[in-house]
Each structure stands twice: as C-alpha cells, then as structure tokens.
Amino acid sequence: TVKANKGVIIATGGFSKNAQLVIEYRNAEKWPLLDENSVSTNMDSIRGEGIIMAREIGADVVDMDQMQFLYLGQPKTGLLSGVFNVSAEVTVFVNKEGKRFVAEDARRDVISSAVFAQEDGMMYMLHSAESLSDPANQLNIDGIPMKELLDIGAYGWKQGDTLEELAKEIGVPAENLVQTIAEYNKAVDTKNDPFGRTLLNVKMEKGPFYAIPRVPALHHTMGGLRIDTLARVLDTKGEPIPGLYAGGEVTGGIHGGNRLGGNAVTDTVVFGRLAAQSAVDGK
Ligand SMILES: Cc1cc2nc3c(=O)[nH]c(=O)nc-3n(C[C@H](O)[C@H](O)[C@H](O)COP(=O)(O)OP(=O)(O)OC[C@H]3O[C@@H](n4cnc5c(N)ncnc54)[C@H](O)[C@@H]3O)c2cc1C
C-alpha cells in the first residue's frame, strides 16, 4: 500500500497495448482494420491501467476514440526498430505492385489509411545511394550501422545495385518500380507531384537501392483522463477529484485527432510539471 499525503499523479501512459480498451473505443469507420490483432509501436506495459483505475473511482475520459497509427511498424511486431531514417525527404513508399500510392509527407493518419488500403496492408519504404551513401558509417534510428542490418537482411532489409535487382528481391514487377521511380524523379525536377508531395528535394537515381517492409502500427492514444488546466483529474460532472492529478499520454483532449510528432514529449513535460505543482500547492 502506498500512502500519498500530497496527492497522486497518474502517469501510466496511453493504452495502445490494451486490445480490450482499443476495441471498446475504436472508431471502426476511420480504422476498419483495427482489431485485437493490430500491432503497436508501444511497450507491452502501455495498457491504460491508470485510465482503468481512475475510471473506477469516477474519473471522466475524453477523446478515447482518437487513436493514432504510425505507418513505420515492423510487419510482425509493430515496433519502429529497423528503419534507416524516418524523414519523408529521403524515401519513397511503394506497394506490392511497385507503385506509389500516397504523398510520403502527408499526415500520419492519411498515410496509415492509404497503407491499410494496399495489398496485405503493407508497403516498402525505399532509399537510394543519394541518402544512404555510406552504409558502413551511417546509423539507423536504433544507432546501428546500416551495413550490419543490410548484410544479414535484418528487419527484412533488401538491396539491389539497380532498381530491377531490388524489384526482384522484394517481389514487385520491375517495370512498375522503374517507372514509379522515374516519375518520382521527374516530380523532383518539376516540383509537381501527382500525389501532392511537397518535400521534393532528393532524387533516387543512384544505386544501390534499398527497401524495408512496413505496416501501420498503433502508436499513440490521444484519448484518456479528462483534466483541467491545473492537471487535476475531473469526474463525470466536471469537478476535480480531490488529490488526483494526471499528465502525459494517460490524459485525453490535448492533441485532438492527429498528434503531431514531438508534441507528446512536450505534453509530458508541461502537464507533468503542472500536476506536480498542483499537488504541492494542494490545489
Ligand atoms: C517508438 C515511439 C517513438 C516515439 N517518438 C516520439 C517522439 O519522437 N516525439 C514525441 O513527442 N513523442 C514520441 N512518442 C510518444 C511519446 O513517447 C509518448 O507519448 C510519451 O512517452 C508518453 O509519456 P508518458 O510519461 O505519459 O508515458 P510513458 O512514457 O508511456 O510511461 C508510462 C510508464 O508507466 C508505466 N506503467 C504503466 N502502467 C503502470 C502501472 N499500473 N503501474 C506502474 N507503472 C505503470 C509504464 O511501464 C511506463 O514506464 C513515441 C512513442 C513511441 C512508442
């Protein structure tokens, strides 16, 4: 038993790894393929337990149906690990037909929906020697030299000296892939992309070319405990529950329907501090 004399601050994160809560609140119209088998970028402990406990003592919840997918998950686990670079500037996405299907710099929900609509709900993220020019010294997002991953094909990485070779490696029609990349390079030249991409600075002309398979993975739950501007948890009548505070992804109503990258950490810092200050002040 923990005895808190100033108050309790709930900071247990979101609920991406709690299939029961996800199913209870999912927006089936927006995410028709979201089910209990959906993968997530999150750790197993991110189960919304703080939300469940607070709900049991009368806390209100808000925006619970607002769930964010990130399209950069490993097909089996959903984890982000493996990718070289998450910047849209240095990649092109293709489906199993070797064709582009979305602007790579679109919103997270737009890209995720588009990937779900492709065959097997997956895509390949492509790079070329224009950006991945020195695999022995360039690190991936986990800090591993890209060469180590490429040599053993970790995370499904494939490579080819030419686009035709890469197409064979990933099993997409070579003529489609060649045409797709030619059209993309033309879009970089003309600054006019049929998919509406605006980050058009890096061509894909030089091999080797590289590809990694990726799927949309549940990444952030924008819903959670309803709090006020002092980070006090509110009950269903809008009244603060005495001594109960919350900050971070366990709360809802902060980010709307599509959290922007970077804003979650800001959220934890801002509302964590407010919660602590309120607890100290006995507000
Ligand atoms: C792979 C990945 C990359 C991300 N990258 C970014 C980024 O670049 N920028 C950004 O702004 N956001 C990013 N996010 C989102 C951001 O990391 C989270 O929203 C943020 O960490 C949430 O912080 P938090 O303190 O609320 O909860 P968390 O950081 O999730 O911490 C909650 C903690 O509570 C523990 N816990 C859960 N239940 C219990 C319990 N019952 N009892 C005790 N402990 C419990 C958990 O184990 C965990 O340690 C990323 C998320 C992921 C998954």
Side-chain angles (χ1 to χ4, degrees), residues 52-275:
I52 295 167
M53 287 186 275
R55 239 182 10 179
E56 278 170 12
I57 59 160
D60 196 12
V61 290
V62 57
D63 284 352
M64 289 292 282
D65 60 334
Q66 301 297 335
M67 302 176 195
Q68 178 173 72
F69 278 88
L70 187 61
Y71 42 86
L72 298 173
Q74 289 174 38
K76 286 202 177 120
T77 65
L79 298 176
L80 276 190
S81 299
V83 291
F84 163 52
N85 187 324
V86 296
S87 166
E89 191 141 27
V90 296
T91 187
V92 164
F93 301 156
V94 297
N95 60 19
K96 285 196 159 179
E97 289 177 60
K99 295 182 176 170
R100 283 180 71 210
F101 53 91
V102 74
E104 290 80 357
D105 55 2
R107 287 163 49 130
R108 288 180 173 179
D109 54 350
V110 171
I111 298 179
S112 295
S113 291
V115 179
F116 273 131
Q118 306 309 305
E119 185 182 342
D120 293 338
M122 64 82 66
M123 68 170 186
Y124 290 100
M125 190 178 185
L126 307 185
H127 300 283
S128 67
E130 271 90 356
S131 55
L132 186 36
S133 54
D134 183 10
N137 291 304
Q138 281 173 291
L139 309 180
N140 87 330
I141 59 157
D142 312 298
I144 303 169
M146 279 302 296
K147 186 170 184 317
E148 287 181 22
L149 303 179
L150 293 165
D151 281 353
I152 59 167
Y155 303 107
W157 273 108
K158 301 280 185 197
Q159 53 184 313
D161 286 336
T162 62
L163 283 169
E164 288 86 347
E165 273 179 40
L166 182 68
K168 199 169 162 208
E169 286 292 324
I170 60 177
V172 308
E175 62 280 13
N176 289 357
L177 191 63
V178 169
Q179 188 182 344
T180 295
I181 298 305
E183 285 167 6
Y184 164 75
N185 287 333
K186 191 173 153 207
V188 175
D189 281 336
T190 60
K191 298 282 178 268
N192 181 13
D193 177 46
F195 293 94
R197 171 169 167 162
T198 55
L199 282 175
L200 291 165
N201 301 314
V202 183
K203 281 194 180 178
M204 299 190 88
E205 290 181 321
K206 281 192 227 151
F209 298 92
Y210 306 94
I212 185 171
R214 292 282 123 170
V215 300
L218 197 50
H219 185 56
H220 191 93
T221 46
M222 280 79 75
L225 299 176
R226 191 188 289 277
I227 55 170
D228 64 9
T229 53
L230 294 173
R232 299 179 299 188
V233 176
L234 303 179
D235 66 18
T236 51
K237 293 190 184 106
E239 296 297 325
I241 298 176
L244 192 61
Y245 311 89
E249 200 175 328
V250 72
T251 67
I254 311 292
H255 300 282
N258 191 49
R259 174 184 70 86
L260 298 179
N263 280 5
V265 171
T266 320
D267 172 355
T268 63
V269 173
V270 170
F271 287 96
R273 188 177 188 283
L274 278 169

Side-chain angles (χ1 to χ4, degrees), residues 10-19 21-22 25 42-56 61 64 221 223-225 249-251:
I10 306 183
T12 50
F15 59 94
S16 287
K17 289 293 270 194
N18 184 329
L21 268 189
V22 167
Y25 288 105
N42 284 208
M43 299 188 295
D44 280 344
S45 61
I46 304 307
R47 295 173 178 268
E49 288 174 4
I51 298 173
I52 295 167
M53 287 186 275
R55 239 182 10 179
E56 278 170 12
V61 290
M64 289 292 282
T221 46
L225 299 176
E249 200 175 328
V250 72
T251 67

